[in-house]
Amino acid sequence: MKVNYNETQVGTEIRSVSVGDTFLAKRTTHNLKCLYMKVDGCSGLVRNTRGKSYAVNLVTGQLREFNSDALVEKV
């Protein structure tokens, strides 16, 4: 018997999420998923670092830095 595993990604890379769109991602301190909204890294709010994306946690209001290739669940 031959089993073919699909090498599909579960989720979307955060770099392809538009600014203002919401997504679910696991928190760094807990294993719970929280709702985030992507913010513009060039807005002057944060120092835009190459290879990073930024989002605000809509429950706590905290700003979080993600690697641009992090997988998230778009809402």
Side-chain angles (χ1 to χ4, degrees), residues 11-61:
T12 306
E13 287 186 351
I14 192 170
R15 73 177 73 156
S16 64
V17 176
S18 299
V19 171
D21 286 349
T22 56
F23 60 90
L24 293 171
K26 288 185 180 178
R27 291 189 63 184
T28 54
T29 56
H30 303 300
N31 208 11
L32 302 172
K33 290 184 181 177
C34 287
L35 186 64
Y36 290 88
M37 182 178 69
K38 187 170 179 182
V39 295
D40 186 9
C42 299
S43 65
L45 182 64
V46 293
R47 291 184 185 170
N48 192 11
T49 306
R50 186 175 205 152
K52 301 289 183 179
S53 294
Y54 301 92
V56 63
N57 184 323
L58 294 178
V59 175
T60 64

